[in-house]
């Protein structure tokens, strides 16, 4: 993980006028949505309501009545990796999607309308990491931040940072801030002087079954207890909870293999 986010900066979901490039939504596509909903309801206390029909079978995950995530169903027979996907805010998804292509990325879904809530596209960067683009219309963002069960940070795990950081910077004009350590390939992406996401080059340490991918960190009150609960619910602990400069963190996976992290952010 790179720099700790400022309170409230990264958990607020996009509304019209959100600074382009800000991580603003997160969603999960699974094979068994009922199992996933039960798992995350027990882990984070989420409740669910139906999402836009245009997007296929999907639900909005709610915490205290505020939307914090989305869960959808993968098409039957499609053996795609199950993963959490962050969405980056855009004020013109069609234009940003075209820029993705021009900069060496691909667009696999959309752009398309999301039931009156906004317009979206899903693509991948030149290294293959999947991300979304979101142009909000009327639906406001979540009103909760830095509370247990909310997204707290997003970090791209990739082979090396140089090329992929150039790609994202061309899309959104990020300022890049290297970690500063000669033996660590890590960059923080800034907008308007504040950190919004991280990129970590880990070379051959990337999981063979994943390749480059975005990792979402979810705030919890106690990562050790949450990891134990996750195990009891059928998940896996990939890296036990440990103290870092940004808080106590555990890397985990849900029953279908979607990787994410549990964090108690440093205050």
């Amino acid at each position: 993980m790179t720099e700790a986010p400022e309170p409230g900066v990264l958990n607020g979901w996009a509304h019209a006028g959100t600074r382009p490039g800000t991580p603003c939504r997160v969603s999960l596509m699974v094979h068994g949505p009922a199992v996933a909903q039960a798992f995350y309801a027990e882990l984070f206390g989420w409740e669910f309501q139906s999402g836009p029909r245009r997007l296929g079978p999907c639900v909005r995950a709610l915490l205290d009545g505020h939307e914090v995530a989305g869960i959808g169903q993968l098409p039957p027979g499609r053996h795609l990796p199950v993963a959490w996907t962050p969405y980056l805010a855009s004020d013109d998804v069609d234009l940003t999607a075209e820029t993705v292509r021009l900069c060496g990325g691909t667009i696999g879904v959309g752009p398309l309308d999301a039931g009156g809530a906004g317009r979206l596209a899903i693509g991948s960067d030149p290294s293959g990491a999947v991300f979304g683009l979101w142009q909000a219309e009327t639906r406001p963002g979540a009103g909760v931040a830095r509370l247990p069960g909310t997204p707290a940070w997003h970090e791209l795990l990739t082979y090396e940072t140089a090329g992929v950081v150039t790609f994202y910077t061309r899309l959104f004009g990020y300022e890049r801030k290297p970690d500063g350590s000669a033996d660590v390939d890590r960059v923080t992406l800034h907008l308007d002087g504040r950190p919004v996401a991280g990129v970590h080059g880990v070379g051959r340490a990337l999981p063979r079954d994943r390749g480059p991918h975005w990792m979402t960190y979810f705030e919890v009150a106690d990562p050790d207890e949450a990891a134990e609960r996750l195990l009891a619910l059928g998940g896996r602990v990939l890296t036990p909870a440990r103290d870092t400069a940004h808080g106590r963190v555990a890397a985990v996976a849900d029953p279908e293999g979607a990787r994410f992290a549990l964090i108690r952010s440093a205050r």
Side-chain angles (χ1 to χ4, degrees), residues 137-204:
E137 291 184 9
T138 58
R139 176 171 291 276
V144 289
R146 294 293 289 272
L147 296 179
T150 62
W153 184 250
H154 302 279
E155 184 161 275
L156 173 61
L157 301 180
T158 189
Y159 296 112
E160 52 83 27
T161 63
V164 76
V165 167
T166 296
F167 167 80
Y168 287 103
T169 299
R170 286 176 177 171
L171 284 184
F172 296 113
Y174 295 119
E175 307 158 52
R176 60 185 84 186
K177 182 177 179 181
D179 178 88
S181 303
D183 57 343
V184 176
D185 184 17
R186 180 179 278 140
V187 173
T188 306
L189 304 178
H190 287 66
L191 286 172
D192 301 326
R194 61 180 175 83
V196 295
V199 182
H200 189 186
V202 297
R204 295 182 179 179

Side-chain angles (χ1 to χ4, degrees), residues 10-244:
L10 297 175
N11 297 351
W13 285 34
H15 52 79
T18 295
R19 176 74 156 85
T22 304
C24 59
R25 296 177 64 90
V26 65
S27 69
L28 174 68
M29 298 295 290
V30 297
H31 298 287
V35 173
Q37 289 176 49
F39 173 83
Y40 287 101
E42 289 294 327
L43 184 63
F44 292 139
W46 290 350
E47 298 178 336
F48 301 92
Q49 66 176 211
S50 297
R53 294 183 181 179
R54 174 74 185 275
L55 303 181
C58 65
V59 294
R60 296 185 175 106
L62 307 177
L63 187 65
D64 295 332
H66 300 285
E67 188 175 352
V68 293
I71 296 179
Q73 183 172 4
L74 287 166
R78 295 290 298 278
H79 301 290
L80 299 173
V82 176
W84 281 101
T85 300
Y87 286 69
L88 307 176
S90 169
D91 53 14
D92 186 336
V93 159
D94 294 78
L95 179 59
T96 305
E98 183 59 28
T99 306
V100 167
R101 297 186 183 99
L102 292 173
C103 291
T106 61
I107 295 294
V109 177
L112 55 84
D113 291 326
R119 190 163 173 78
L120 66 82
I122 300 175
S124 58
D125 65 30
S127 73
V130 175
F131 65 97
L133 301 170
W134 176 256
Q135 179 182 345
E137 291 184 9
T138 58
R139 176 171 291 276
V144 289
R146 294 293 289 272
L147 296 179
T150 62
W153 184 250
H154 302 279
E155 184 161 275
L156 173 61
L157 301 180
T158 189
Y159 296 112
E160 52 83 27
T161 63
V164 76
V165 167
T166 296
F167 167 80
Y168 287 103
T169 299
R170 286 176 177 171
L171 284 184
F172 296 113
Y174 295 119
E175 307 158 52
R176 60 185 84 186
K177 182 177 179 181
D179 178 88
S181 303
D183 57 343
V184 176
D185 184 17
R186 180 179 278 140
V187 173
T188 306
L189 304 178
H190 287 66
L191 286 172
D192 301 326
R194 61 180 175 83
V196 295
V199 182
H200 189 186
V202 297
R204 295 182 179 179
L206 275 173
R208 291 185 179 180
D209 62 339
R210 284 291 157 176
H213 62 280
W214 282 90
M215 175 78 82
T216 296
Y217 290 69
F218 289 95
E219 191 75 31
V220 293
D222 184 339
D224 297 84
E225 185 277 332
E228 289 182 8
R229 187 151 27 100
L230 174 139
L231 282 172
L233 293 169
R236 291 183 296 134
V237 174
L238 306 175
T239 305
R242 66 194 188 284
D243 291 322
T244 74

